[in-house]
């Protein structure tokens, strides 16, 4: 999605901390704060670059992110520190919102502005009604073919590597949900291209640059993404995002949402008794209470114990987060 969802710069898995050589953090006191940071990622940096910066500022190696943004993209990148990295698997699967600009009249090899233009077709005569219809056709539950330059594996090799080696890439369509795709503005600043500013709300796994590509194909003029800003990941929005300069100024106290606060924002809440906390913290099951989906269990003192789901008549921990 955008980029969106997939990093094409390297094979790192989303949200999984990558080891840093000890020398990189030598001499720094360890800061043990666990929690999330909503970062406003700047353009020109990979998501892993942001993680590396936070590792230095927070003075800990245990840092990961929840949902890759390509270097061109800016906006909300949720970063986990310490035990909160274990919550990132849920962040990755959350719905996302973007503002984006689609350029009609040019197709690129990457479906965005970072790739070479491979075809140009004058788009000056494309009407606004036609543009809106092409985008409306992509809303709802749709089968979307991911961008060829993505981190999806084909026979064990990342798709973007195959493209760079000149190999053919034929990715199967994936079912995604695009719940909102609205035109905010349509601009004709250059003779043969049309720039379309859009708002997008979509499920995890959606490629915004594929939306641009498919709109261009439907209109017969080609299209690619020229700007992308992620405005929300689940309930985390730009309104609470900190810039890297903000984090530099308050380092090493960079965590903005403690582990309990982050879980409270992301999951339904269940209160546990002291005995239930003891059982759950040791991996044992609890009696169900009828809460759908994963939920957060808190102990009597307010600490986060575990993320739990109910199945087969028992409430079992998906991840235990109580301190050892």
């Amino acid at each position: 999605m955008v980029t969106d969802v997939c990093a094409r710069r390297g094979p790192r898995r989303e949200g999984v901390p990558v080891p840093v050589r000890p020398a990189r953090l030598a001499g720094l006191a360890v800061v043990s704060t666990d929690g999330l940071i909503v970062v406003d990622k700047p353009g020109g940096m990979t998501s892993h670059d942001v993680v590396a910066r936070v590792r230095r500022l927070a003075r800990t190696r245990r840092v990961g992110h929840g949902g890759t943004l390509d270097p061109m993209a800016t906006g909300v990148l949720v970063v986990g520190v310490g035990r909160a990295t274990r919550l990132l698997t849920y962040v990755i699967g959350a719905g996302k919102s973007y503002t984006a600009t689609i350029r009609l009249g040019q197709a690129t090899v990457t479906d965005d502005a970072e790739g070479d233009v491979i075809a140009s077709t004058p788009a000056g005569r494309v009407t606004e009604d036609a543009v809106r219809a092409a985008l409306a056709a992509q809303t709802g539950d749709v089968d979307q073919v991911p961008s060829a330059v993505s981190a999806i594996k084909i026979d064990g090799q990342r798709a973007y590597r195959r493209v760079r080696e000149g190999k053919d890439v034929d990715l199967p369509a994936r079912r995604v949900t695009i719940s909102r795709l609205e035109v905010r503005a349509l601009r004709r600043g250059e003779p043969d291209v049309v720039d379309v500013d859009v708002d997008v709300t979509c499920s995890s796994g959606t490629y915004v640059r594929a939306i641009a590509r498919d709109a261009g194909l439907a209109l017969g003029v080609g299209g690619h993404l020229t700007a992308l800003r992620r405005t929300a990941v689940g309930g985390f929005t730009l309104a609470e995002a900190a810039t890297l300069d903000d984090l530099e100024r308050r380092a090493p106290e960079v965590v903005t949402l403690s582990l309990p606060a982050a879980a409270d924002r992301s999951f339904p809440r269940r209160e546990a008794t002291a005995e239930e906390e003891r059982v759950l913290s040791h991996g044992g099951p609890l009696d169900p209470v009828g809460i759908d989906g994963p939920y957060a269990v808190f102990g009597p003192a307010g600490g986060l114990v575990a993320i739990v789901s109910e199945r087969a008549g028992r409430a079992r921990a998906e991840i235990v987060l109580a301190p050892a």
Side-chain angles (χ1 to χ4, degrees):
M1 198 180 50
V2 149
T3 328
D4 20 28
V5 160
C6 297
R8 60 174 183 266
R9 299 283 177 173
R12 302 180 182 92
R13 291 174 53 203
E14 294 180 351
V16 178
V18 178
V20 175
R21 290 176 295 175
R24 298 286 296 275
L25 298 175
L28 295 179
V30 174
V31 175
S32 59
T33 301
D34 304 302
L36 297 182
I37 312 167
V38 183
V39 178
D40 185 352
K41 187 189 92 64
M45 294 183 72
T46 67
S47 298
H48 183 64
D49 291 337
V50 174
V51 167
R53 179 80 67 88
V54 173
R55 283 192 179 118
R56 178 178 65 80
L57 296 176
R59 300 178 182 174
T60 178
R61 299 174 181 84
R62 197 174 178 188
V63 178
H65 68 79
T68 302
L69 282 172
D70 279 352
M72 183 188 84
T74 66
V76 173
L77 182 71
V78 180
V79 175
V81 179
R83 286 179 293 146
T85 55
R86 302 189 68 193
L87 296 179
L88 293 174
T89 184
Y90 302 99
V91 173
I92 290 170
K96 299 171 177 67
S97 295
Y98 302 87
T99 59
T101 300
I102 297 168
R103 171 156 288 189
L104 299 171
Q106 296 174 342
T108 71
V109 68
T110 58
D111 301 326
D112 63 19
E114 294 190 315
D116 295 334
V117 175
I118 55 175
S120 295
T121 304
R125 295 186 178 181
V126 173
T127 67
E128 182 172 345
D129 285 346
V131 171
R132 290 181 180 276
L135 293 173
Q138 295 190 61
T139 58
D141 295 330
V142 297
D143 293 321
Q144 184 188 73
V145 177
S147 175
V149 185
S150 70
I152 296 171
K153 285 188 175 182
I154 304 172
D155 297 329
Q157 187 180 32
R158 302 284 180 181
Y160 62 81
R161 291 188 184 276
R162 294 179 68 90
V163 171
R164 289 173 183 169
E165 293 171 3
K167 297 178 181 178
D168 291 334
V169 172
D170 185 16
L171 295 173
R174 296 182 172 190
R175 179 54 62 99
V176 299
T177 300
I178 302 172
S179 54
R180 182 177 179 224
L181 181 48
E182 296 183 359
V183 175
R184 292 189 295 115
L186 191 145
R187 295 174 282 111
R188 302 178 186 270
E190 298 182 31
D192 294 330
V193 301
V194 178
D195 290 320
V196 185
D197 299 327
V198 298
D199 288 332
V200 183
T201 299
C202 53
S203 63
S204 178
T206 305
Y207 286 81
V208 177
R209 51 196 162 104
I211 294 174
R213 175 202 66 203
D214 292 345
L217 286 172
L219 294 165
V221 295
H224 70 281
L225 205 64
T226 61
L228 181 69
R229 183 159 176 76
R230 188 153 67 193
T231 57
V233 175
F236 304 107
T237 69
L238 274 176
E240 63 188 307
T243 66
L244 291 177
D245 286 343
D246 293 334
L247 299 182
E248 288 275 0
R249 284 190 287 269
R250 63 180 188 238
E253 304 300 328
V254 294
V255 167
T256 52
L257 277 172
S258 67
L259 184 59
D264 225 5
R265 284 273 300 275
S266 305
F267 303 94
R269 181 185 181 104
R270 174 179 175 178
E271 304 287 348
T273 65
E275 176 59 17
E276 288 174 329
E277 179 180 24
R278 184 192 67 78
V279 170
L280 193 58
S281 64
H282 288 87
L286 302 182
D287 291 332
V289 292
I291 300 176
D292 292 333
Y295 57 83
V297 177
F298 294 83
L304 178 63
V305 182
I307 305 301
V308 167
S309 62
E310 297 183 0
R311 55 189 183 274
R314 304 296 280 164
R316 300 181 186 276
E318 294 186 358
I319 53 174
V320 175
L321 292 158

